[in-house]
Structures are given as structure tokens and as C-alpha cells.
Amino acid sequence: MVDLPRRLVLALPLVLTLLVATPAHAAADSVTKTDVTVELRADGVLHIKEQISFTGQVRRTLLTRTRYDDGNDRVYRVTGFKGDGALTGDTITLTGKDTATIEYDVAGAVSPVGGGEELRWYVVNGWSAPVQSAVVKLSGPAPIQNLSCFAGDLTSATGCTTASMDETGTRAEFEQQGLGPAQALTVAVGFPSGTSRGRPILERRFELASAFTLSPLTGGALIGLLVLLLGGIVVLYWTRGRDARILDSEAGGPVTTLRDGRFSPPDGVRPGQIGTLIDEQADVIDVTATIVDLAVRGFVRIDEQPRGTYDAPDWLLVKVPDAPVEELLDYERALHMAIFDGRDSVLLSQLHGSFGARLGKVRDALYRDVVAQGWFVRRPDSVRTRWTTIGVIVTGLGVLATVLLAWLTTYGLIGLALIIAGAALAVGGQYMPAKTSRGASALAHTLGFRDYLASGEIGEVPPAQRIELFSRYLPYAVVFDNVDRWARVVASMNGNGGQADHLYWYQGPAEWDLSKFADSMRTFTLTTSGAISASRQFRRSI
């Protein structure tokens, strides 16, 4: 108890310091008074001069953008800043001590209203600290017709402390006491029409809904562009992508498959060529059919491997020695080399992914071949690629145009026409390769041959020639997706009056006979196509 007075004496200076420091700190950041002079000049620009008394560190954020209507913002451009402060963006930082004087110009604060002009400006606004007192003096190049002022939040309708006009009507004065941080003193002053010829500065506000506004203008323009662009694509296909017309006499007529007792497909077309001719693509099934064709013609032998109950089927492809490989077409020779690659035999299962690069050469050779045959003027893959690339470019330009139109205007719908047309051209590019008259004629004969194979009729073929002849048909049946039916036809044949247990080009395992050939061939074509598809570098061109 003896030490209590002493402790109180020691604590007293600290308490006094806190009592003094607290209100001083609270009042540190404030604007005690701001005197603002506003002059409306003849070009519609406000010249503003502010004399500010303040304490602490204060800054002001000028209001430079407000909502004008549903589609536009009103912009106030501040230029020519000078004085005791720095303007960074729209923020003023005062550099003076206790007092500061700044000047700047504001454009865009005047609007034509009715039969006159209205100057509306947020004269005091955006201060980071309270404003104790604000006085605004405003003048213009013509007599003032009316005036009003508002204080508080930006949307406040509460009048300011005082608003008055001198006897001459050319000067107005406004006062406001006690504005909180970020609150505003807004003045609205009317002048005669033509006083400054000022106009609001508007910037379109981006809104997704308004960017794609459907109106008679945008709807009509969209439909018109679609008709023009899509119609142009149709005309382009009609003139460039449509197969050359052929005479009915060329397309029709009976199919002759035997000449001088030997097999002869229409126009001498080989299976791989037929596949490329029909769908204008050098794809997997064309290569599979060519492998079967090479076997039937004596360049390859296919040996089905014995397998257990749960083993996957496999075949050994054997290179026939002394076969005249030099007589093969370029794509056939490329395929023969891709299969064997310096070896005499290879299991089909070993081809998975191992010869993709060489198969690319097969595809290139097939495309060159159909051009060399005179069926196409240009390689179908290059034609597709060219038109598809153009379509992608047009689509990209459409996307860019749509973004720009949507951002800058309300006509975003118009850009969609380019996107739709570009997408249609990219898709339609798949149908742009066009056959020549010779190619169209060969296709017509080939389709007749397909109908003949689909019928599965043996016809007047001597029994001794049936296995060889109908084996020659089989690769074409692979291309026409008719391998099941025609393999059964081959399996029903006899070689020389007795039941055959194998073909000259297809060998089965022990206890295998020709009756099982249909199932074996169906499985072989599916497995071969799978092995080719697994070759990563062999892809159908787009």
C-alpha cells in the first residue's frame, strides 16, 4: 500500500500521453477545407483549381467513369494536372505540407439537355479522409439558367448546405459541411444551348447479352452472309469438288470378269486402287486387301499358326522366293518391303507398331498411283488438307471477328456467319477431291463389279479354275466389306473334284481344311487391320 501513490505518479505521464495522442491521431488524416474554382470554357472543358488545407496523409480518387445507359459508360477525361501532388491513374496524392494547390482539366462533364446544356460534375469526391468544409465557385461563358447541388453518396438526392448565384448570373457558389470519406459534393448547373458545345464522352460497356443482340439489322446481315458464304461453298463443290459427269453407257453394261479364260477386274483396277478410288482415302482396309491380293498373286504365302484354346490367332507371312517383285506397282512394292524388311518371314503379331514409317510410304504411293492412273487431277489427301486448312483459317478469322464485334459493337452475331462458313468448309473439305471423267468411269465399272461380288453367284466358271479365280475375287471382297460371303464361296469350291485341305496361297494348321476358310479369313482381315491401325505413323489424312 505504501507504493501505490508512487506508482500512480509514475503512470500519470503515460496516461496523459495516450489522452493527447489519441485525438491527435484521429485527426491526423483529414481535409479541413477545400476551396474549388470551376471554370467552364467554350470548348466544353472544365478548368479546375483546388486549394486544400489538410492534416496527415490524404489522397483523392477522381471519379472518371459512371453508368450512362444499358450499353454505355460515361467517361470523364482528366488532363493537364499540375501543382502540389501527383496524379497516378485516377488517384491524386498530395505532396504539400498542410496546404496544397492543384489544377487540372476535365472533359466530358457537359451534356445537351432539353433546350440547353447541363454541367454536372462531382466537384468534391473520392477523398480518403473526411472533408470538414468545401466551398465551390463556378463560372461560365454565358449566364447561368439554373443550379442545384447534392451531398453524400454518389446517388444521393440530399441537397448541399448552400447554393447561390450572384447578381449578374454568371457565377455560382456552393458550400458543404461535413462530408465523409469517399462521399461527394455534386453540382448541376444549366447554361443556354451552344454555351460550350460540350458533349458526353461515351464508351460502350461490354455485356455478353447485348454483344449478340438480335435485331433486324444483325439478323438480316447474319442470314445474308450465311446465304452468300454457304452458297459459295455449294457452288465451289459443284464446280471443283463434284466428280466429272460420265455417260450412262460408260456407267452401265454387264460386268466382264473373264477375258481369254483369265480373271480381269473392271479396267484392270487392283484392290488397293479400288479402295482409294471409292472413298478417296488410302486407309487400313486398302492395305489389308493388298496383302491378301499379294498372296493370291503369288508374292506372299499366309500360314495360319496352330493355337491352343486360349491363344490369340496368328499368321506367318512368308515371302515367296523368286517372285517377280519388280513387276509390282510402286505401292505394292512399298508394302512388300514394309512387311518383310529384309527378312523371309514374319509373324503378323510382330507387325504391331513396327512398320508405321514404311506404311506412310505405302499411302503416299497409293495417292500418287491414283493420280498417275488419271482418276484424279491432284492427290485427294492434299486437296482435303488444303480445303480443310482454309476452313480452319476462316473459322479462326470468324472467331476473331466475332470477339472484336462483340467487344466493340452489338453486332457479334454477324461474326458467327464466318465461323459457320469456316466450319462448313473444313468439314466439306473432306468431299472436295474430285474424280476425272476417267476416274468416274472406272468407279462406275467398279461398283458394277461390287454388285456382282455381292450376289455370290459362281456363274459359268469351269470347276478346275474356280479356286484360283474366286481367290482372285477375294481381295476385292475385302475392300467391298463382303469378305464373309465370298470366303464362304471360296470354301465351297473343289480343286480338282476332291475336297481341298488348303489353298495354294493360304496354308492352315494340321486338321484344317477349306471348310474352315471363311472363319479363318474373316479373323485374318480383322487382325491384319488391327495390326496396321496400331502402327502409329499410319493415319488417315484429314
Side-chain angles (χ1 to χ4, degrees):
M1 297 298 294
V2 178
D3 294 335
L4 179 60
R6 182 180 177 184
R7 291 180 180 179
L8 291 176
V9 172
L10 293 174
L12 183 60
L14 178 61
V15 173
L16 293 175
T17 301
L18 291 174
L19 291 175
V20 174
T22 300
H25 177 73
D29 294 342
S30 68
V31 177
T32 55
K33 185 176 183 181
T34 175
D35 290 314
V36 185
T37 301
V38 180
E39 178 188 0
L40 173 62
R41 294 177 174 174
D43 55 1
V45 175
L46 304 182
H47 180 71
I48 300 174
K49 181 178 181 179
E50 298 186 27
Q51 294 177 311
I52 308 155
S53 299
F54 64 96
T55 59
Q57 295 181 346
V58 296
R59 63 183 182 278
R60 181 182 178 190
T61 302
L62 295 172
L63 186 66
T64 57
R65 181 182 296 268
T66 60
R67 182 184 178 87
Y68 184 77
D69 56 26
D70 290 340
N72 297 279
D73 287 339
R74 183 168 186 168
V75 176
Y76 304 95
R77 292 177 181 166
V78 178
T79 58
F81 181 88
K82 61 182 179 179
D84 303 322
L87 177 63
T88 304
D90 55 2
T91 301
I92 299 174
T93 303
L94 300 181
T95 58
K97 184 176 181 181
D98 297 334
T99 62
T101 301
I102 57 176
E103 294 184 54
Y104 54 91
D105 296 331
V106 176
V110 179
S111 305
V113 177
E117 293 181 359
E118 181 186 71
L119 182 162
R120 179 179 288 267
W121 177 237
Y122 310 90
V123 186
V124 180
N125 80 290
W127 284 103
S128 61
V131 178
Q132 298 177 17
S133 174
V135 177
V136 178
K137 297 178 180 179
L138 187 147
S139 62
I144 297 172
Q145 294 182 329
N146 54 73
L147 56 83
S148 59
C149 64
F150 310 95
D153 296 334
L154 289 177
T155 58
S156 173
T158 302
C160 63
T161 303
T162 60
S164 60
M165 185 168 48
D166 66 3
E167 299 81 357
T168 63
T170 58
R171 297 178 65 86
E173 185 170 325
F174 307 89
E175 292 186 18
Q176 177 62 35
Q177 307 295 322
L179 285 173
Q183 289 188 332
L185 170 61
T186 305
V187 300
V189 181
F191 289 94
S193 177
T195 297
S196 69
R197 304 185 185 277
R199 293 291 185 272
I201 302 171
L202 303 181
E203 284 188 3
R204 181 176 171 271
R205 183 175 57 257
F206 176 76
E207 292 179 353
L208 192 61
S210 63
F212 294 92
T213 301
L214 180 61
S215 65
L217 175 62
T218 57
L222 176 62
I223 294 174
L225 275 175
L226 283 177
V227 171
L228 179 64
L229 295 173
L230 295 181
I233 293 174
V234 171
V235 171
L236 186 64
Y237 171 75
W238 189 261
T239 57
R240 297 289 299 275
R242 195 165 61 100
D243 293 344
R245 295 180 179 178
I246 58 174
L247 299 175
D248 291 339
S249 59
E250 292 180 292
V255 176
T256 302
T257 57
L258 287 176
R259 294 179 185 175
D260 299 327
R262 298 180 63 84
F263 169 78
S264 178
D267 300 313
V269 182
R270 294 183 180 173
Q273 295 172 322
I274 281 182
T276 308
L277 178 65
I278 289 177
D279 62 5
E280 300 164 350
Q281 301 251 21
D283 48 26
V284 169
I285 196 65
D286 304 333
V287 178
T288 301
T290 301
I291 292 175
V292 177
D293 186 50
L294 290 177
V296 172
R297 287 161 51 201
F299 294 90
V300 178
R301 192 181 75 244
I302 303 173
D303 292 350
E304 183 176 338
Q305 301 298 292
R307 60 190 176 98
T309 304
Y310 301 104
D311 293 338
D314 204 354
W315 289 261
L316 183 69
L317 304 181
V318 181
K319 180 165 57 175
V320 175
D322 300 326
V325 178
E326 66 279 357
E327 296 179 3
L328 295 176
L329 298 177
D330 287 346
Y331 79 91
E332 295 174 326
R333 191 180 306 113
L335 178 58
H336 191 273
M337 294 174 61
I339 292 172
F340 296 108
D341 193 19
R343 54 200 169 189
D344 293 329
S345 63
V346 60
L347 287 172
L348 184 61
S349 59
Q350 295 175 346
L351 295 183
H352 281 272
S354 65
F355 66 153
R358 289 180 176 268
L359 280 176
K361 296 180 180 179
V362 177
R363 185 177 66 174
D364 288 341
L366 260 173
Y367 283 130
R368 290 196 303 269
D369 183 82
V370 294
V371 174
Q373 295 292 336
W375 298 335
F376 297 90
V377 176
R378 298 177 182 85
R379 287 177 48 144
D381 60 328
S382 63
V383 172
R384 277 192 300 272
T385 300
R386 181 170 67 251
W387 287 110
T388 302
T389 301
I390 293 174
V392 170
I393 292 174
V394 172
T395 302
L397 292 176
V399 171
L400 179 61
T402 301
V403 170
L404 291 177
L405 288 172
W407 184 262
L408 301 175
T409 70
T410 59
Y411 304 145
L413 279 177
I414 298 177
L416 295 180
L418 272 178
I419 296 177
I420 295 172
L425 189 58
V427 174
Q430 306 300 309
Y431 306 96
M432 289 306 291
K435 300 176 184 68
T436 62
S437 295
R438 184 174 179 178
S441 178
L443 177 61
H445 294 174
T446 297
L447 296 180
F449 183 46
R450 180 183 64 183
D451 294 339
Y452 170 76
L453 290 182
S455 68
E457 297 180 359
I458 297 175
E460 299 297 327
V461 179
Q465 299 179 12
R466 288 179 180 177
I467 287 183
E468 179 181 0
L469 181 60
F470 290 117
S471 291
R472 296 292 302 276
Y473 290 161
L474 186 59
Y476 298 88
V478 172
V479 172
F480 296 137
D481 196 22
N482 198 26
V483 65
D484 281 353
R485 168 174 287 189
W486 200 255
R488 287 194 297 270
V489 171
V490 176
S492 67
M493 297 297 100
N494 292 330
N496 53 5
Q499 182 66 43
D501 60 356
H502 65 271
L503 300 172
Y504 66 93
W505 57 274
Y506 190 100
Q507 302 288 328
E511 300 181 359
W512 183 93
D513 59 41
L514 205 55
S515 65
K516 300 181 177 67
F517 176 72
D519 290 337
S520 294
M521 182 50 54
R522 179 176 60 253
T523 307
F524 173 78
T525 54
L526 291 174
T527 305
T528 303
S529 297
I532 294 172
S533 299
S535 300
R536 293 174 295 175
Q537 297 186 38
F538 186 72
R539 293 289 183 269
R540 177 179 293 191
S541 63
I542 59 174

